[in-house]
Amino acid sequence: MITLSSDFGSPYPAAMKGVVLQNSDARIVDVSHEFPRQDVPGAAFWLREVLPYFPPAVHCVVVDPGVGTDRAAIVVRIGDHAIVAPDNGVALPAARAIADDGDVIEVFEIETDEPASATFHGRDVFAPMAAAVHEIGVDSLHEVADLVRADGYEALAFPEPTVSQTGASGAVLVVDGFGNAITNVPGEAIESRFGQQVRINGEPAPVRRTYATVEPGQRLVTVGSHGNVELAVNRGRGDEAFRVDAGDRVELAY
């Protein structure tokens, strides 16, 4: 199995699929091609939340604002999984999430001649490498031509929140398609306060387990499926109601 993820929209992923199908018999699964454009941390968050649910696969990830520069291209091996991606940190949070106890994260650099295009390495570098890794097997990366062990690589870590007895200080990591503002504050910070109110950036909001426990259009604070505090609106957009966007600070007070 090869999964494809990008910020390309359409029709660029079709060319990547064509390359994969010319070079392998892999089953292709699209994760998403609608990641926020050129938003490496945002894509890294969603990959961290999604890729661990897949069976062993080669994951081809292209969110690459540095395409055509001297940034490296890498293959990350984690157990029976491999992630083929630009070396900009996008792969590392997912790799850490996939890793079981005892799994070692190995990083290889892709050595290639000048790609056919300076602007479409998804087609010319990453898709061919994903197909090659799939065909030879994740356990045999040392046999893949054009792969060498990386001396170093870009690590990406999400900002850490501060939690105290009086509240928490954090940031919005991403805003999903529903407008839910997902923060880095752990859900444990509000799990004892369902049915009560907290203050978000100085303004009160109810803490609820589900969206439908407030009236349509009403704000709420909840814990999302990712386990983090989420700012939401029942049948509306939390980012607009709370006036926040990805990267904004969030102050939560009890």
Side-chain angles (χ1 to χ4, degrees), residues 75-101:
V75 178
V76 184
R77 180 191 174 196
I78 325 96
D80 294 329
H81 293 256
I83 304 175
V84 183
D87 183 22
N88 58 16
V90 70
L92 270 298
R96 298 185 198 106
I98 290 169
D100 291 326
D101 290 342

Side-chain angles (χ1 to χ4, degrees), residues 60-64 66-76 83-92 106-113 115 120-122 124-130 133 145-154:
C60 184
V61 176
V62 192
V63 177
D64 191 16
V67 63
T69 69
D70 60 357
R71 69 94 185 92
I74 58 173
V75 178
V76 184
I83 304 175
V84 183
D87 183 22
N88 58 16
V90 70
L92 270 298
E106 299 177 278
V107 182
F108 299 81
E109 184 171 342
I110 303 171
E111 291 189 333
T112 63
D113 296 329
F120 197 2
H121 288 186
D124 299 334
V125 176
F126 299 114
M129 182 54 68
V133 172
D146 302 323
L147 277 190
V148 297
R149 287 192 179 272
D151 293 330
Y153 55 88
E154 291 292 330

Side-chain angles (χ1 to χ4, degrees), residues 126-223:
F126 299 114
M129 182 54 68
V133 172
H134 178 272
E135 291 306 288
I136 203 165
V138 173
D139 291 337
S140 302
L141 287 183
H142 61 283
E143 299 178 19
V144 177
D146 302 323
L147 277 190
V148 297
R149 287 192 179 272
D151 293 330
Y153 55 88
E154 291 292 330
L156 187 154
F158 298 113
E160 292 292 332
T162 301
V163 180
S164 70
Q165 294 183 343
T166 60
S169 178
V172 176
L173 296 178
V174 294
V175 176
D176 70 16
F178 292 97
N180 301 315
I182 300 166
T183 78
N184 63 346
V185 177
E188 291 86 350
I190 61 168
E191 283 183 341
S192 65
R193 299 180 183 275
F194 287 117
Q196 303 177 31
Q197 283 200 339
V198 295
R199 300 186 75 84
I200 301 295
N201 293 342
E203 298 181 1
V207 181
R208 299 291 186 267
R209 291 187 183 277
T210 62
Y211 308 114
T213 52
V214 300
E215 294 297 320
Q218 185 177 351
R219 305 188 322 163
L220 69 147
V221 181
T222 191
V223 179

Side-chain angles (χ1 to χ4, degrees), residues 1-2 23-27 57-58 129-138:
M1 178 188 298
I2 293 177
N23 292 281
S24 80
D25 61 356
R27 176 188 175 192
V58 178
M129 182 54 68
V133 172
H134 178 272
E135 291 306 288
I136 203 165
V138 173

